[in-house]
Amino acid sequence: MPASYAYLGPEGTFTEVALRTLPEAATRELIPYVSVQSALDAVRVGEAEAAFVPIENSVEGGITATLDELVAGTPLMIYREVLLSITFALLVRPGTKLSDIKTVTAHPAAQPQVRNWLKTHLPDVVWESSASNADGARLVQEGRYDAAFAGEFAAARYGLEALETEIHDAENAQTRFVLVGRPARPAAPTGADKTSVVLWQRDDHPGGLRDLLGEFATRGINLMLLQSRPTGAGIGNYCFCVDAEGHISDRRMSEALMGLKRICLQVRYLGSYPRADIRPGEARPPFPGTSDEEFTGAADWVARCQDGRF
Amino acid sequence: MPASYAYLGPEGTFTEVALRTLPEAATRELIPYVSVQSALDAVRVGEAEAAFVPIENSVEGGITATLDELVAGTPLMIYREVLLSITFALLVRPGTKLSDIKTVTAHPAAQPQVRNWLKTHLPDVVWESSASNADGARLVQEGRYDAAFAGEFAAARYGLEALETEIHDAENAQTRFVLVGRPARPAAPTGADKTSVVLWQRDDHPGGLRDLLGEFATRGINLMLLQSRPTGAGIGNYCFCVDAEGHISDRRMSEALMGLKRICLQVRYLGSYPRADIRPGEARPPFPGTSDEEFTGAADWVARCQDGRF
Amino acid sequence: MPASYAYLGPEGTFTEVALRTLPEAATRELIPYVSVQSALDAVRVGEAEAAFVPIENSVEGGITATLDELVAGTPLMIYREVLLSITFALLVRPGTKLSDIKTVTAHPAAQPQVRNWLKTHLPDVVWESSASNADGARLVQEGRYDAAFAGEFAAARYGLEALETEIHDAENAQTRFVLVGRPARPAAPTGADKTSVVLWQRDDHPGGLRDLLGEFATRGINLMLLQSRPTGAGIGNYCFCVDAEGHISDRRMSEALMGLKRICLQVRYLGSYPRADIRPGEARPPFPGTSDEEFTGAADWVARCQDGRF
Amino acid sequence: MPASYAYLGPEGTFTEVALRTLPEAATRELIPYVSVQSALDAVRVGEAEAAFVPIENSVEGGITATLDELVAGTPLMIYREVLLSITFALLVRPGTKLSDIKTVTAHPAAQPQVRNWLKTHLPDVVWESSASNADGARLVQEGRYDAAFAGEFAAARYGLEALETEIHDAENAQTRFVLVGRPARPAAPTGADKTSVVLWQRDDHPGGLRDLLGEFATRGINLMLLQSRPTGAGIGNYCFCVDAEGHISDRRMSEALMGLKRICLQVRYLGSYPRADIRPGEARPPFPGTSDEEFTGAADWVARCQDGRF
């Protein structure tokens, strides 16, 4: 097994910064790939131990390139998630003043986050998209553009300086990244975990999706993401990527997954892993009737009834 | 353990006839008791191995005396059920003609079943209630009344003859009896079984009862009886006696019972036993997603996911 | 229309006492009938304006004789309900002391309420049932028994005195009575009302009853009674008598009734009337999303959408 | 009101072809815009009567740029939908042979549809993305690339010829387009209609989304699209774009929308319009209990009950 992590490159982007927040990243070789697909393929073919890719952000929702890779092909599994607040710095060559800036660049995904700032501070600037925020910084370094929106951390790498930092139109702009590997035993539950699955309905009828969600709801499990993705069988045919609060080793979750497995055409398990938005101990307690103790107590009671000891 | 069955007496009633349809009754001493309560108490104190009592009929619904005994006190368990079609004979002293009859008697419960027949054939007769149908027959024998409605089988015992048989206002008039004993390992599943439980809601809110029933519904389990009984905590406070299709050893049923145990204030298991209305092999197949194989397959899949083998 | 109320007699029982709590009873002739059926028939044939009968008590639950009359035959309607706390007095001929009492009588329904008191205070007494509590008092007057359990109010009528009052084994023992008449416009809503209906399922399948109850639950309507009654089509065939919080003029209730009408084989409306257990103003507020204002607002919004004004 | 339709340009793309299938397009000036946003803004500011944009395709699912515009800002409304099968032609300058092709271009969205064809027929070709399929064709005309994937209809416009047609990796590859205008009275129901709404949950709890979907399910309404979109309030905060079978003038749909309006934080109506996938008369009949007749009958029945005529 190679001690390396693939990640969505290039170097110097928010993805790399997010990856480096994982302690285990310090002991791996980190290799940038040009696309989500190629990073995940590196895992599938054994070139990398795991791949680190964005999966959801507060502006775009689910990242479809990542979801579509997880939904199809050789099964993969989410090991970890990382949340990163996304704020931009305006990077310029040393000495450039705000009034000097005629052109700016960044990855198109940055645009919704900086639009208002631009309207206020640089209303007449010309925007050109670049392939990545890091690439935009490089193009500023090379003199092609006057300024780039990128993470502040990119300044040093490209010999630029930040004229402005903490630029973000939306409060709470965050991107969620996942570390994805080959199927393995899920990480031990921490008390604040998340489980990801993909669900395919058996057939299409009124209430079909409602009943799938009912498997979670009746066991007190909250959903954190529900993202439909085309199945490829034509327009209107969807599967559903679901993130649910809890760990597969929780009794309520394992019973919900069993229920889904029975009523769905197909269920793909994508892993159980610690939540990045809260710490262990901060998760709300199980709803009445859904704790492991209550599940175990109920199973014991049924066993006693089956034995005539009641 | 005494090799005797208590039953709701007196001798010569439909209850005794139903009891004698059970093969095991041939090897027990059958002892009549004056009430459902006393018959069941005989089981509770160990005087009888089991008690045979009516629990439901097509005119009255659930027999509240029986249900209330099963709901409260030392736990009991239903071992078997028997269905008996109820049709009446008009019993008279030999030689009596229809035109001679001025008075008739029977247990009050017989009245709804013979009312129309009386209106047509004996519109002017005087009705007097008796303590049981058998007792009514005895009173005819003694000359107190001219005729009694009772099971045809009672004629011989009291030296009477049946002027008319197969009297029944309602088609499909049936009574359901149960053989009740102390808690024991339930009879093996036959493929056409019934499970009885009593449910107490945790609290009273819109949807509370709907959610209890949902534990059966979402697992494809049909209900055969839902009878509310007062809890004794004042008007409007009810528990629910439920008969559901299936055996506690069916995976769908054991999971439903676990679900109920978790969300109810209290669940009392009353047993799983062969259905008397159909034979093994006549039960409809499980609904899609609810067979034992599908439950086992889903549990195996979750176990593989937990182990990282997927 | 005769200015008379039929009621379940005889005179001097709890039923009469409950009836006299209704202000309108003061202006009617009150006529006792020997049975629930005959009292309700008096209404059906126009002999009486309305009939007053027990429908539910905290020991027996729903009174099946009354429910079965409401379920079948010419439609009737509940105009009013009355709750009466049931406590017994021990009535004796003047001068009788507790130690003189060898025999007691009462209607059998009284027995569960006085059993513990008897065990403590008169452990060796002989119990004989009488046709009604009032009749028991009469038999004590005549010297047939030493004492009768009856309402304290019966003492004066039969020249007896109460040796003991407030006898009741169960706390909160109550009986609920209803004033039943021919179909009419329901009483105006008071803010604390109850609606009674009878529901027949369209077919029997897993989830059928759950879905019926869902029509109430999804609109935030709490149920106060669910009593199954045989349909007469054979054992296991039931309709359901339901009491639900609210008035048919409440938008949530009228929409729930419409929903039931659409999915049930049959729905029989039994009336909307003021609750006797609480006063107007004491009812809890509607659940979020279920107030009349919210229903009206939603209907207005849909109308605007249909008109293109949104 | 300007007699013009904005559409997502440039000219010569599938969008324009789809738009021209609408009869009303023949009488309007059709004006290409550089983005979905600018086309919809043209409607909002009154520059165009309506805008024609893609909203869903069988490879990408919901088109987020379009959905996000419909979800936020000044309300808009979907007037019509069009389905177009997407197959590509390989366009070359006249005389070019397959073996001459070293470079190909097209919009990136075309890539998943032609990948397998390329692997088989042109395994060594170099792919370069272009801004649109039409733009790719233009670049071939100019000699920048050897071949372009585009709609066959683009050949004539750019003086190219189709070496191959009907190229499509996925069967049933379709794109769904919508004609979007300002709020107006929806088109009359045809019997095969679709209704689009956006739903915001009131709060986030287990079962929240299940209950929203239940408003459709309990009224027999099938869903055709459920696409979550970020609300902008941070990661994990979503609203839901829903397409449901039926027209707002159907009673089941108007009642479902009322129910959603009551329980949601917010509902945005996006219109009711004829389905493009089937013709009137091909829609399946309403589920039992959900036809307009049944709704009207139920409402009449409740009205009669309220009037005492039952």
Side-chain angles (χ1 to χ4, degrees):
Chain A
M1 176 67 68
S4 70
Y5 286 168
Y7 70 96
L8 176 63
E11 293 178 63
T13 63
F14 287 109
T15 303
E16 186 189 344
V17 171
L19 172 55
R20 291 191 182 280
T21 66
L22 287 179
E24 55 266 48
T27 61
R28 265 74 172 190
E29 185 185 5
L30 308 183
I31 307 173
Y33 281 77
V34 296
S35 66
V36 167
Q37 190 185 354
S38 57
L40 293 175
D41 278 347
V43 175
R44 284 187 164 119
V45 302
E47 272 174 36
E49 181 186 348
F52 192 78
V53 292
I55 194 167
E56 184 183 6
N57 75 48
S58 51
V59 173
E60 287 301 305
I63 308 293
T64 57
T66 301
L67 294 173
D68 287 350
E69 283 296 317
L70 294 176
V71 159
T74 311
L76 292 170
M77 180 171 164
I78 300 173
Y79 292 171
R80 293 287 300 270
E81 70 171 13
V82 172
L83 277 178
L84 191 74
S85 291
I86 304 296
T87 65
F88 290 90
L90 183 70
L91 304 186
V92 295
R93 289 180 299 278
T96 306
K97 295 193 298 291
L98 201 58
S99 56
D100 300 333
I101 300 175
K102 303 284 176 274
T103 56
V104 295
T105 190
H107 186 267
Q111 207 168 6
Q113 274 287 74
V114 302
R115 188 178 290 142
N116 288 341
W117 188 92
L118 276 178
K119 204 175 292 181
T120 308
H121 299 89
L122 291 170
D124 299 320
V125 84
V126 173
W127 169 282
E128 294 272 343
S129 291
S130 49
S132 71
N133 295 323
D135 201 49
R138 188 179 55 76
L139 294 170
V140 172
Q141 183 184 35
E142 295 177 358
R144 181 102 70 97
Y145 303 114
D146 298 329
F149 288 103
E152 190 180 355
F153 48 80
R157 178 184 302 260
Y158 296 100
L160 304 178
E161 61 181 35
L163 261 192
E164 183 89 26
T165 61
E166 299 288 321
I167 300 172
H168 52 94
D169 278 15
E171 285 303 318
N172 306 316
Q174 287 189 309
T175 295
R176 184 181 153 232
F177 301 86
V178 285
L179 183 70
V180 173
R182 280 178 292 275
R185 186 182 293 268
T190 65
D193 303 283
K194 186 186 285 189
T195 291
S196 299
V197 289
V198 190
L199 308 175
W200 285 261
Q201 287 185 264
R202 188 166 280 172
D203 53 7
D204 195 25
H205 63 276
L209 181 57
R210 187 245 335 230
D211 292 346
L212 296 199
L213 302 187
E215 296 289 335
F216 294 110
T218 62
R219 294 174 181 94
I221 297 172
N222 201 32
L223 300 187
M224 308 184 75
L225 176 72
L226 177 79
Q227 175 78 47
S228 56
R229 294 305 305 148
T231 61
I235 212 160
N237 288 281
Y238 288 96
C239 60
F240 296 92
C241 299
V242 174
D243 286 353
E245 282 184 22
H247 193 280
I248 193 174
S249 69
D250 296 338
R251 291 292 301 260
R252 61 187 169 280
M253 182 65 78
S254 62
E255 199 185 276
L257 294 181
M258 283 175 54
L260 290 165
K261 181 72 177 174
R262 289 187 290 105
I263 67 175
C264 285
L265 181 67
Q266 190 191 341
V267 182
R268 178 177 273 216
Y269 177 63
L270 292 181
S272 299
Y273 45 92
R275 287 171 59 177
D277 58 332
I278 58 171
R279 275 174 300 212
E282 293 178 354
R284 60 181 157 194
F287 282 79
T290 69
S291 70
D292 272 11
E293 292 68 32
E294 288 165 301
F295 267 92
T296 306
D300 288 349
W301 172 76
V302 167
R304 287 197 307 277
C305 290
Q306 289 173 332
D307 277 354
R309 298 175 291 112
F310 60 92
Chain B
M1 176 68 68
S4 71
Y5 285 167
Y7 71 96
L8 175 64
E11 296 177 60
T13 63
F14 287 107
T15 304
E16 185 189 346
V17 171
L19 173 54
R20 290 190 184 280
T21 65
L22 287 178
E24 55 267 47
T27 61
R28 263 73 172 191
E29 186 184 5
L30 307 183
I31 307 172
Y33 280 76
V34 297
S35 67
V36 167
Q37 189 185 355
S38 58
L40 293 175
D41 278 347
V43 175
R44 283 185 163 119
V45 301
E47 271 174 35
E49 182 185 347
F52 192 78
V53 293
I55 193 167
E56 184 183 6
N57 76 48
S58 51
V59 173
E60 289 301 306
I63 309 291
T64 57
T66 301
L67 294 174
D68 287 350
E69 283 296 318
L70 294 176
V71 160
T74 312
L76 293 170
M77 179 171 166
I78 300 174
Y79 293 170
R80 292 288 300 270
E81 70 171 14
V82 172
L83 278 178
L84 192 74
S85 290
I86 303 295
T87 63
F88 289 91
L90 183 69
L91 304 185
V92 295
R93 288 179 300 277
T96 305
K97 294 194 300 287
L98 200 59
S99 56
D100 298 335
I101 300 174
K102 303 284 176 276
T103 55
V104 296
T105 190
H107 186 268
Q111 210 170 2
Q113 273 290 70
V114 302
R115 189 179 288 142
N116 287 342
W117 189 93
L118 276 178
K119 205 176 290 180
T120 307
H121 298 90
L122 292 170
D124 300 321
V125 83
V126 174
W127 169 283
E128 293 271 344
S129 292
S130 49
S132 70
N133 295 323
D135 202 49
R138 190 180 54 76
L139 293 170
V140 172
Q141 182 184 37
E142 292 178 1
R144 182 99 70 96
Y145 303 113
D146 298 329
F149 289 103
E152 191 179 356
F153 50 79
R157 178 185 302 259
Y158 295 102
L160 303 178
E161 61 180 37
L163 261 191
E164 184 88 23
T165 61
E166 299 288 323
I167 301 172
H168 53 95
D169 277 15
E171 285 304 318
N172 306 317
Q174 288 189 307
T175 296
R176 183 181 152 230
F177 300 87
V178 284
L179 184 69
V180 174
R182 280 177 292 274
R185 186 182 293 267
T190 66
D193 303 282
K194 187 185 283 187
T195 291
S196 299
V197 289
V198 190
L199 308 175
W200 284 261
Q201 288 183 262
R202 190 166 277 172
D203 53 7
D204 197 23
H205 64 277
L209 182 56
R210 188 246 333 231
D211 292 346
L212 296 199
L213 302 187
E215 296 288 336
F216 293 112
T218 61
R219 294 173 182 94
I221 298 173
N222 200 32
L223 300 187
M224 308 184 74
L225 176 71
L226 176 80
Q227 175 78 48
S228 57
R229 294 305 306 150
T231 62
I235 212 161
N237 288 280
Y238 288 96
C239 59
F240 296 92
C241 299
V242 174
D243 287 353
E245 284 184 21
H247 193 279
I248 193 174
S249 69
D250 297 337
R251 291 290 302 261
R252 61 186 168 279
M253 182 65 79
S254 61
E255 199 185 275
L257 294 181
M258 283 175 53
L260 290 165
K261 182 72 177 174
R262 289 187 290 106
I263 68 176
C264 285
L265 182 66
Q266 190 190 342
V267 182
R268 178 176 274 214
Y269 176 63
L270 292 180
S272 299
Y273 45 92
R275 287 171 60 176
D277 58 332
I278 59 170
R279 275 174 301 212
E282 293 177 355
R284 59 179 158 195
F287 283 79
T290 70
S291 69
D292 271 12
E293 291 68 31
E294 288 165 302
F295 268 92
T296 307
D300 288 349
W301 171 76
V302 168
R304 286 197 308 276
C305 290
Q306 289 173 332
D307 277 356
R309 300 175 290 111
F310 59 93
Chain C
M1 176 68 69
S4 69
Y5 285 168
Y7 71 96
L8 176 63
E11 296 176 59
T13 64
F14 287 107
T15 304
E16 186 189 346
V17 171
L19 173 54
R20 290 190 182 280
T21 65
L22 287 178
E24 55 267 49
T27 62
R28 265 72 173 193
E29 185 184 6
L30 307 183
I31 307 173
Y33 281 76
V34 297
S35 66
V36 167
Q37 188 185 357
S38 57
L40 293 176
D41 278 348
V43 175
R44 283 184 163 120
V45 301
E47 271 174 35
E49 182 186 347
F52 192 78
V53 293
I55 194 167
E56 184 183 5
N57 76 48
S58 50
V59 173
E60 289 301 307
I63 308 292
T64 58
T66 300
L67 294 174
D68 287 349
E69 283 296 318
L70 293 176
V71 160
T74 311
L76 292 170
M77 179 172 165
I78 300 173
Y79 293 171
R80 293 287 301 268
E81 70 170 15
V82 173
L83 278 178
L84 192 74
S85 290
I86 305 295
T87 63
F88 289 91
L90 184 68
L91 304 186
V92 296
R93 289 178 299 277
T96 306
K97 295 193 298 289
L98 200 58
S99 55
D100 297 335
I101 300 174
K102 303 285 176 275
T103 56
V104 295
T105 190
H107 186 268
Q111 210 170 3
Q113 272 290 70
V114 302
R115 189 178 288 141
N116 287 343
W117 188 92
L118 275 178
K119 206 176 289 180
T120 308
H121 299 90
L122 291 170
D124 299 321
V125 83
V126 173
W127 168 282
E128 294 270 344
S129 292
S130 49
S132 70
N133 295 324
D135 201 49
R138 189 181 54 77
L139 294 170
V140 172
Q141 182 184 36
E142 294 177 2
R144 182 100 71 96
Y145 302 113
D146 298 328
F149 288 104
E152 190 179 356
F153 49 80
R157 178 185 302 261
Y158 295 102
L160 303 178
E161 61 179 37
L163 262 191
E164 185 88 23
T165 62
E166 299 288 322
I167 301 171
H168 53 94
D169 277 15
E171 284 304 318
N172 306 317
Q174 288 189 308
T175 296
R176 182 181 153 231
F177 301 87
V178 284
L179 184 69
V180 173
R182 280 177 294 274
R185 187 182 292 268
T190 65
D193 303 282
K194 186 186 286 189
T195 290
S196 299
V197 288
V198 191
L199 308 175
W200 284 261
Q201 289 183 262
R202 189 165 278 172
D203 54 6
D204 196 24
H205 63 276
L209 181 57
R210 187 241 338 224
D211 292 346
L212 296 199
L213 302 186
E215 295 289 337
F216 293 111
T218 61
R219 294 174 181 93
I221 298 173
N222 200 32
L223 300 187
M224 309 184 74
L225 177 71
L226 176 80
Q227 174 78 48
S228 58
R229 294 306 305 150
T231 61
I235 211 161
N237 288 280
Y238 288 95
C239 60
F240 295 92
C241 299
V242 174
D243 287 354
E245 283 184 22
H247 193 279
I248 193 174
S249 68
D250 297 337
R251 290 291 302 262
R252 61 186 168 279
M253 181 65 79
S254 62
E255 198 185 276
L257 294 181
M258 282 175 53
L260 290 165
K261 182 72 177 173
R262 289 187 290 106
I263 67 176
C264 285
L265 182 67
Q266 190 190 342
V267 182
R268 178 176 274 214
Y269 176 64
L270 293 180
S272 299
Y273 44 91
R275 286 171 60 176
D277 58 333
I278 59 170
R279 276 174 300 212
E282 293 178 354
R284 59 179 157 195
F287 283 79
T290 70
S291 70
D292 271 11
E293 291 69 31
E294 288 164 303
F295 267 92
T296 307
D300 288 349
W301 172 75
V302 167
R304 287 198 307 276
C305 290
Q306 289 173 332
D307 278 355
R309 300 175 290 111
F310 60 93
Chain D
M1 174 67 69
S4 69
Y5 285 168
Y7 70 96
L8 175 63
E11 294 177 63
T13 64
F14 288 109
T15 304
E16 186 190 343
V17 171
L19 172 54
R20 291 190 182 279
T21 66
L22 287 179
E24 54 267 48
T27 62
R28 265 75 172 187
E29 186 185 4
L30 308 183
I31 306 173
Y33 282 76
V34 298
S35 67
V36 168
Q37 190 185 353
S38 57
L40 294 176
D41 277 348
V43 176
R44 284 187 164 118
V45 301
E47 272 174 36
E49 181 185 347
F52 192 78
V53 292
I55 194 168
E56 184 183 6
N57 75 48
S58 50
V59 172
E60 288 301 305
I63 308 293
T64 58
T66 301
L67 295 174
D68 287 350
E69 283 296 317
L70 294 176
V71 159
T74 311
L76 293 170
M77 181 171 164
I78 300 173
Y79 292 170
R80 292 288 300 271
E81 70 171 13
V82 173
L83 277 178
L84 191 73
S85 290
I86 304 296
T87 64
F88 289 91
L90 184 68
L91 304 186
V92 296
R93 289 178 300 279
T96 305
K97 294 194 299 290
L98 200 61
S99 55
D100 299 335
I101 301 175
K102 303 284 176 273
T103 55
V104 295
T105 189
H107 186 267
Q111 206 169 7
Q113 274 288 73
V114 301
R115 188 179 290 141
N116 288 341
W117 188 92
L118 276 178
K119 203 175 293 180
T120 308
H121 300 89
L122 291 170
D124 299 321
V125 83
V126 172
W127 169 283
E128 294 271 343
S129 292
S130 49
S132 70
N133 295 323
D135 202 49
R138 189 180 55 77
L139 293 170
V140 171
Q141 184 184 34
E142 295 178 358
R144 182 103 68 97
Y145 303 114
D146 299 328
F149 288 102
E152 190 179 355
F153 48 80
R157 178 185 303 261
Y158 296 101
L160 303 179
E161 61 180 37
L163 261 192
E164 183 90 23
T165 61
E166 299 288 321
I167 300 172
H168 53 94
D169 278 15
E171 286 303 319
N172 306 317
Q174 289 188 308
T175 295
R176 184 181 151 231
F177 300 87
V178 284
L179 183 69
V180 174
R182 279 177 293 275
R185 186 181 293 267
T190 65
D193 303 283
K194 186 186 283 190
T195 291
S196 299
V197 289
V198 190
L199 308 175
W200 284 260
Q201 287 184 265
R202 189 165 280 171
D203 53 7
D204 195 25
H205 62 276
L209 181 57
R210 188 246 333 232
D211 292 346
L212 296 199
L213 302 187
E215 295 289 336
F216 294 111
T218 63
R219 294 173 181 93
I221 298 172
N222 200 32
L223 300 187
M224 308 184 75
L225 176 71
L226 177 79
Q227 175 78 47
S228 56
R229 294 305 305 148
T231 62
I235 212 162
N237 288 281
Y238 289 96
C239 60
F240 295 92
C241 299
V242 174
D243 286 353
E245 283 184 21
H247 193 279
I248 193 174
S249 68
D250 297 337
R251 292 291 301 261
R252 60 187 169 280
M253 181 65 78
S254 61
E255 198 185 276
L257 294 181
M258 284 175 53
L260 291 165
K261 182 71 177 173
R262 289 187 289 106
I263 68 176
C264 285
L265 181 66
Q266 190 191 341
V267 182
R268 178 177 274 216
Y269 176 64
L270 292 181
S272 300
Y273 45 91
R275 287 171 59 178
D277 58 332
I278 59 171
R279 276 174 299 213
E282 293 178 354
R284 60 181 157 194
F287 283 79
T290 70
S291 70
D292 272 11
E293 293 68 32
E294 289 165 301
F295 267 91
T296 307
D300 288 349
W301 172 77
V302 167
R304 288 198 307 277
C305 289
Q306 288 172 333
D307 276 355
R309 298 175 293 111
F310 59 93

